[in-house]
Structure formats: C-alpha cells, structure tokens
Amino acid sequence: MTAVIYARYSSDNQREESIEGQIRECTAFAEKNGITILKHYIDRAFSAKTDNRPEFQNMIRDSGKHLFDTVIVWKLDRFARNRYDSARYKTTLKKNGVRVVSATEIISDGAEGILLESLLEGMAEYYYADLSEKVIRGMTENALKCKYNGGSLPIGYIVDKEQHFQIDPLKSPFILEAYKKYADGCTMTQIRDWLNETGIKNARNQPFNYNNVQLILKNRRYTGEYIYRDVVIPDGIPAIVPKDLFDRVQEKMAKNKKAPARHKAEDDYLLTTKLFCGYCGAYLCGESGTSRTGEVHHYYKCVTVKKHRGNCHKRTEKKDWLEDLVVEQTMKMVMDDKVIEAIVSMLLDLQNKESSNLPLYEHQLRETENGIENLLNAIQQGIFTKSTKTRLDELEKIKQELEINISCERLAKPKLTKEQMTFWLHRFRKLDVNKKSHRKMLIDTFINAIFLYDDKILLTFNFKDGTKTITFNDVKTAIDSEYYGSDLKCFAAPKRVSL
C-alpha cells in the first residue's frame, strides 16, 4: 500500500513545528500499518475553510496519476473544515481509487464509520464557525473606526502606525490616471499595458493583468468609502478618485460589458454517486432534455442504457420526483426518536471500539515504568554499572515523551458524549429541505446507497440495519391520501419517458 501525507496549519501564528509534529505522527501511523510514504504535501498558513490551497490542489491532481492509494492526515480537519469541500474532494479521490485516513482518528470502513466521520467533520466546522464569529466581531469594531483589517491593500494606499488608510503619494496618481484613461475611451487592455510599461506592480508585486485592471476600476474604496462586510462608511478613508469620475467609469463599463455566455446548468443532481440501477448495478447519471415547448426536463438514466453497454431495461426516472422522495424518506427517519436513539447508541459503541494511539501510549508507559522500577530495585541491591545508568536515563527520557504524547492525545481527541451526539443529530431536523445545500447535507450524511427499480426503490442508510424498501404504488397511495402533506404532491408518479 502506498500513500502520501497531507499537512497544513492555518496561520502564521502557528509554528512550523506543528507541521513537523503532524508529519511525525502520520509517518508513525504509516509504519505501524505497513504503508509506504511516497511524498509530503504541505500547506503553510492556509485555512482549511477554503480549498484554495496550492499543495492540496496538487495532491488532488496527482491522485489522477494513480501512483498512491491513500492520503494520510493528522486529523480530518487538516483535510477540510467545510463539509461540502470534504465531500466534494473525497469523492474525487474515491473516483481515483484513493481514500483519506486520519492518523489519530481511526474510523472503521463500515457504514457506521461514515456517520462518525461526518460527526467529527461537523464538530470541526462548528468550531471554525464559532471562532470565525469571534474574529469577525473584533474586526467589525476596527471597521467602525475605519481601521485596516488585514488582507491585500488596494494599490494607491498605505497604512499608518495607527492602522488608518493614507494615500500613497507614489502609486495613487497612476490609479487616478487609469480612471481618466478609461473615461476617455481607453480599453482595459490598453490600461493594463500602460501600467506595465510604467513599471508599477500589482498587489502581489507582479505585472498587471486584465482582471487586476477591472478590479481597480470597480473598487469603491477609491471614492473614499470604507467597506467591511455590512459596514459601509462614506468618506471613511481619503479619496483618490472623484465620485463623478467613478460614476462615469461605472456607466461606461456597464455599456461595454458583453452579453454573458450561456453557461451550463449547475451540476445539482444530488443523488449522483449514490444512485444505482437495481437491475444491472450501474450508476444512474444526470441527464436533461428539451421538449417541443422549449422546457428543459431533468432525469436520472442508467449508464448501461445510456452507453448501450448491455441489455439493461431500466427506464429513465424524473430527477425532482426521485430526489424529493429520497429527501422525504430521510427526513422521516431523522424525525423518528427511536432511530436517533439507535444511531447514538451505535455511535457510542463504535467510538469505544475504535482503536486509538492512547491505549498504546498507556501500555508503553506502564512497561517503561516497570523497567525503571526494576532498575531502581537493582541499584538498591548494589547492582550499579555504567550501562545501568545509561539505560535508566533512556527510560526516563522515554517516559517523559510518552507522558507528553498521552497529554496531547487526551487534549486532541476528547470523546463525544451521548448528549453531544444527540444534539448534533437533532440539528438535522431543522434543515430546510427546499434549500439545495440542506438537501445535499442530509443525503451525504445519512444515505449510503440507493438501488432504483421500475416499481420500487431500496434505500440503505449509514447505520446498521438501516435499509428501507418503498414501492411506487405505496407512494401513489400516500399522495392520494387527503392527510398526506409531502411536497411529492407537486410531482406525478414516475412514468415511462423517451428522449
């Protein structure tokens, strides 16, 4: 088995040693499990809330070369603190035959492990959101005083000792001239070339490109507006560009703006990678078709049928109807107190059974303490040599390292209580199933696989015995019931369609 190690820390406030510690523990995990490490991918001072991390993206691309089959991280939050990014990139890695494992949060490969992993990732996302709120609160206070809040400074400004914006006497004239040139008829490309000819650099100390010029011409700060999130203070900073000139440039940009290209519809087929044909076992992929009236219809279609690979007869099914059915059945499961209690009980058992470094460290500590005691007994009996002292020093050093490792392990991986798990699962009951992001979160967390037939659907959830079969006749009966309140009333039962 071959693997790579991915390590990162969030900001310059954290030390380089944190990377070394992650690499050390991931390497020890690999050695213990007979895994060969091929490469290290390290992002320094990059937050896991964003996927804009150079080495992370290199690792994702390299996974397509099929040179390794495992990514080892110190903790799951090193990979991502955003569940959307986590699910998205784990799916990409899975397609390339690569799995993500944590060196300190060993999670089983079974269906139950998916729930536990989702719980850990959710807690990490909650921690980040809570920390972000506190940071935003402090930065908002700065904003109300029109102080610099970090990030790239707009070209033409500098910051004084009190963190207030001041006009840069060297670069601000170029910004004003760029506005005048555009108002007089120059194109953004011509302004870009002019700026590069003058030798002035962009915020990253690189030559200007088209986007840099566009951002300059749209930046309201040059009119003196201080902007931070919802805080907008007119004349909060010194102005470089007169307001009337800025407005003329905006009007001209709006006129010169080309009609946007017709972009493809978003890939919002929520059941992709989880939906399988009940007859041949192949994936069902998203597909759309346009009727004679010009209306676009979306479907799920068996890959075997789509690519004519076999004799599968599975007919195409309507996307909206099918997704609503899955979401509705999943929400019914989430709203069942007995099911939640069963999941929590299962997770507690799983958490207690999961292997951890802590028992190993504690066992090694006991053995080390016994060794020290034996040497001390030998010394009391008059047996003392140079080798005895050397060995005693070695054991004392090992004991100290083990005690540190045990302390770090207990701090790094506190166990989740029954109340914490119940609270987290109950939060899913408050989801708005009309929102795409909430629907996706529900499906990604609880649905393991879906097997679709022409007359029924088999749902398998991410917990033991979590399987449910629903016939379409049962659904139709429920729809016809006057007491039935599902959104499925908006859609007709599946009918045979041809594209």
Side-chain angles (χ1 to χ4, degrees):
M1 185 180 293
T2 56
V4 297
I5 293 175
Y6 177 72
R8 68 157 192 90
Y9 62 85
S10 299
S11 69
D12 294 321
N13 294 329
Q14 290 179 269
R15 299 180 300 169
E16 179 70 15
E17 286 84 343
S18 65
I19 290 289
E20 296 175 357
Q22 292 176 46
I23 296 295
R24 182 172 60 254
E25 295 211 32
C26 291
T27 301
F29 173 85
E31 291 175 354
K32 185 171 70 174
N33 291 277
I35 301 174
T36 302
I37 301 298
L38 300 181
K39 186 176 180 180
H40 298 165
Y41 294 89
I42 301 172
D43 280 319
R44 294 173 171 84
F46 281 92
S47 170
K49 188 177 181 181
T50 174
D51 61 351
N52 188 21
R53 292 170 268 155
E55 285 299 292
F56 180 82
Q57 293 295 340
N58 288 339
M59 177 186 71
I60 298 297
R61 282 192 292 269
D62 289 348
S63 70
K65 300 176 183 178
H66 304 290
L67 299 177
F68 54 89
D69 48 36
T70 306
V71 173
I72 303 175
V73 293
W74 177 60
K75 276 173 161 269
L76 291 175
D77 66 0
R78 299 299 93 185
F79 185 81
R81 273 187 177 157
N82 178 303
R83 278 176 295 174
Y84 173 78
D85 285 342
S86 178
R88 173 187 173 190
Y89 287 108
K90 282 181 181 177
T91 299
T92 301
L93 291 172
K94 185 178 179 181
K95 289 180 180 178
N96 293 333
V98 179
R99 66 189 185 114
V100 179
V101 298
S102 169
T104 58
E105 298 165 325
I106 312 303
I107 298 172
S108 67
D109 294 330
E112 297 90 343
I114 298 174
L115 268 179
L116 183 58
E117 183 175 343
S118 177
L119 202 62
L120 292 170
E121 290 175 346
M123 294 297 281
E125 185 175 353
Y126 174 79
Y127 162 78
Y128 188 93
D130 183 58
L131 179 63
S132 178
E133 287 179 4
K134 294 175 182 176
V135 171
I136 290 172
R137 193 179 306 122
M139 296 179 77
T140 301
E141 289 299 318
N142 277 346
L144 294 174
K145 300 174 185 177
C146 296
K147 287 188 174 182
Y148 173 59
N149 255 332
S152 298
L153 271 173
I155 299 169
Y157 286 105
I158 56 176
V159 175
D160 60 22
K161 293 181 180 179
E162 295 180 354
Q163 297 301 298
H164 287 110
F165 286 85
Q166 302 295 342
I167 292 178
D168 183 347
L170 297 178
K171 294 183 179 179
S172 58
F174 292 98
I175 299 300
L176 178 59
E177 186 63 24
Y179 272 84
K180 290 179 178 178
K181 284 180 175 290
Y182 190 82
D184 291 339
C186 287
T187 65
M188 292 188 190
T189 301
Q190 291 171 331
I191 295 174
R192 177 202 65 191
D193 295 339
W194 167 73
L195 287 170
N196 287 332
E197 288 172 3
T198 63
I200 189 174
K201 302 294 184 180
N202 64 17
R204 295 188 177 184
N205 200 32
Q206 296 175 348
F208 279 87
N209 57 40
Y210 183 91
N211 289 336
N212 296 148
V213 176
Q214 188 177 46
L215 289 174
I216 287 175
L217 296 178
K218 294 173 69 175
N219 194 340
R220 300 193 64 86
R221 284 190 177 181
Y222 290 123
T223 66
E225 278 191 7
Y226 182 96
I227 302 172
Y228 172 73
R229 295 174 68 87
D230 296 332
V231 178
V232 178
I233 303 176
D235 302 322
I237 60 177
I240 295 177
V241 178
K243 184 70 166 56
D244 60 335
L245 175 59
F246 182 86
D247 291 340
R248 291 205 313 272
V249 168
Q250 304 314 301
E251 291 176 6
K252 190 161 188 177
M253 288 177 67
K255 291 180 181 178
N256 293 339
K257 187 177 181 180
K258 295 180 180 179
R262 292 178 61 187
H263 56 78
K264 294 182 179 180
E266 292 184 4
D267 182 16
D268 57 353
Y269 291 87
L270 302 182
L271 305 183
T272 302
T273 74
K274 293 180 180 287
L275 184 60
F276 299 88
C277 176
Y279 300 105
C280 69
Y283 277 112
L284 268 75
C285 61
E287 187 170 275
S288 63
T290 304
S291 65
R292 293 179 180 177
T293 62
E295 185 179 358
V296 178
H297 300 275
H298 299 276
Y299 306 93
Y300 282 103
K301 190 170 186 176
C302 175
V303 170
T304 302
V305 176
K306 181 180 177 67
K307 298 188 176 181
H308 307 288
R309 290 177 175 173
N311 297 319
C312 183
H313 61 275
K314 177 73 192 80
R315 67 173 183 243
T316 304
E317 301 290 358
K318 292 182 179 179
K319 168 188 173 296
D320 291 334
W321 192 92
L322 189 59
E323 289 180 357
D324 279 353
L325 175 60
V326 172
V327 168
E328 186 226 13
Q329 292 299 322
T330 307
M331 281 301 295
K332 279 186 179 179
M333 182 270 295
V334 171
M335 299 300 290
D336 190 333
D337 289 336
K338 292 183 179 179
V339 172
I340 295 296
E341 289 176 6
I343 292 176
V344 170
S345 177
M346 175 202 69
L347 289 173
L348 288 171
D349 291 340
L350 180 63
Q351 182 175 243
N352 293 330
K353 291 178 182 178
E354 292 291 349
S355 60
S356 170
N357 288 329
L358 186 58
L360 175 62
Y361 290 151
E362 290 174 340
H363 176 71
Q364 292 174 342
L365 180 61
R366 288 193 295 270
E367 289 185 341
T368 303
E369 289 175 338
N370 289 337
I372 292 174
E373 185 177 355
N374 291 336
L375 284 176
L376 291 176
N377 290 335
I379 292 172
Q380 288 177 349
Q381 295 173 15
I383 304 173
F384 185 80
T385 65
K386 185 177 180 181
S387 299
T388 305
K389 183 179 184 307
T390 302
R391 180 56 179 161
L392 184 60
D393 291 340
E394 290 176 354
L395 290 176
E396 289 288 355
K397 183 178 180 181
I398 292 173
K399 178 184 176 182
Q400 184 179 14
E401 291 178 352
L402 288 170
E403 287 174 340
I404 293 173
N405 289 340
I406 289 172
S407 298
C408 292
E409 189 72 17
R410 286 173 176 167
L411 287 173
K413 192 184 178 185
K415 284 194 174 182
L416 299 175
T417 65
K418 179 180 179 181
E419 290 73 20
Q420 287 174 320
M421 291 183 178
T422 303
F423 169 76
W424 187 255
L425 291 171
H426 278 184
R427 291 187 65 186
F428 285 93
R429 295 180 174 182
K430 299 179 181 180
L431 295 181
D432 183 355
V433 295
N434 293 316
K435 291 184 177 180
K436 175 187 170 184
S437 60
H438 289 196
R439 292 160 69 89
K440 181 173 178 58
M441 186 188 306
L442 190 71
I443 292 170
D444 288 345
T445 302
F446 291 100
I447 296 294
N448 185 282
I450 306 166
F451 295 91
L452 185 63
Y453 300 82
D454 286 340
D455 59 344
K456 63 183 178 181
I457 182 173
L458 177 66
L459 299 174
T460 59
F461 299 103
N462 285 323
F463 59 93
K464 188 177 181 181
D465 301 326
T467 303
K468 185 173 184 179
T469 301
I470 305 164
T471 66
F472 292 153
N473 283 334
D474 292 339
V475 175
K476 185 177 185 303
T477 301
I479 292 174
D480 293 337
S481 172
E482 60 178 330
Y483 302 107
Y484 190 81
S486 169
D487 288 338
L488 285 170
K489 273 193 171 184
C490 300
F491 303 98
K495 295 180 180 179
R496 184 176 300 276
V497 296
S498 58
L499 296 177

